[in-house]
Amino acid sequence: EPEVTQTPSHQVTQMGQEVILRCVPISNHLYFYWYRQILGQKVEFLVSFYNNEISEKSEIFDDQFSVERPDGSNFTLKIRSTKLEDSAMYFCASRAERGLNNEQFFGPGTRLTVL
Amino acid sequence: LAKTTQPISMDSYEGQEVNITCSHNNIATNDYITWYQQFPSQGPRFIIQGYKTKVTNEVASLFIPADRKSSTLSLPRVSLSDTAVYYCLVGTPDSWGKLQFGAGTQVVVTP
């Protein structure tokens, strides 16, 4: 069964450093998403991406964040200058097409720890 | 997006049926009801989606009364591996660009 993959599974970084989280969505999917979940809290939407551009972003997704689909398979989330409060689990998700089916397929997540 | 309310936690024993009710009093005509499941340290996983009456798949059933102001996710004969957080989401196809998760219901299944 096709699945979304994410690398690395765990990233430790120093405050102020740049990190890039990588995702490989399911190959025939058209819509891509990033979510985050701070430990013990709810899953929060960050950004959606379609047709090589951001379609929606949340208030969390400020200028420090960016997304890119550099080739036909990868989807990346970059945090330019990490803060302590960026420590969280980051989930990538993809969806086949817009329509009545609300199924998004989530990856296993990257645990980001900012020291 | 319609606000949803669901119990914070539920406990069950193996083999029992678990029913989680979600209230969504201000659901709109075009809104669908979707349930996701999340195991610890994993991403959420789609379980089921419905608009009205009853929907059943290999994992669960979703019961939606005629007024659609609530819905009930039914997990038949749960096992220990069904211990997870279950989220009820309500929204229209136009809002599918983002999923807005609440706190969910922590279901704990014990032997």
Side-chain angles (χ1 to χ4, degrees), chain B residues 3-106:
Chain B
K3 178 177 167 57
T4 61
T5 303
Q6 50 183 124
I8 295 173
S9 64
M10 296 182 73
D11 295 329
S12 179
Y13 292 105
E14 277 190 296
Q16 290 189 328
E17 178 180 82
V18 172
N19 296 307
I20 309 171
T21 297
C22 177
S23 297
H24 26 81
N25 290 319
N26 59 341
I27 189 169
T29 302
N30 295 331
D31 283 344
Y32 281 69
I33 300 150
T34 308
W35 286 80
Y36 276 76
Q37 172 192 55
Q38 185 180 26
F39 297 114
S41 298
Q42 293 189 29
R45 184 175 75 108
F46 174 92
I47 301 176
I48 199 166
Q49 178 183 311
Y51 183 80
K52 62 180 179 180
T53 63
K54 178 183 174 182
V55 180
T56 298
N57 61 22
E58 65 277 6
V59 176
S61 295
L62 178 60
F63 298 91
I64 305 168
D67 66 6
R68 303 199 329 120
K69 292 185 183 301
S70 67
S71 58
T72 299
L73 176 73
S74 181
L75 307 172
R77 297 180 300 281
V78 294
S79 63
L80 298 178
S81 62
D82 291 316
T83 293
V85 179
Y86 293 82
Y87 301 97
C88 166
L89 294 86
V90 173
T92 67
D94 285 343
S95 70
W96 289 162
K98 65 182 179 186
L99 297 176
Q100 290 195 320
F101 291 86
T105 298
Q106 173 69 64

Side-chain angles (χ1 to χ4, degrees), chain A residues 27-45:
Chain A
S27 63
N28 62 341
H29 284 190
L30 302 177
Y31 296 82
F32 314 110
Y33 310 86
W34 283 100
Y35 295 82
R36 80 171 185 189
Q37 186 173 31
I38 295 171
L39 186 64
Q41 298 186 25
K42 62 183 181 181
V43 178
E44 300 174 289
F45 167 79

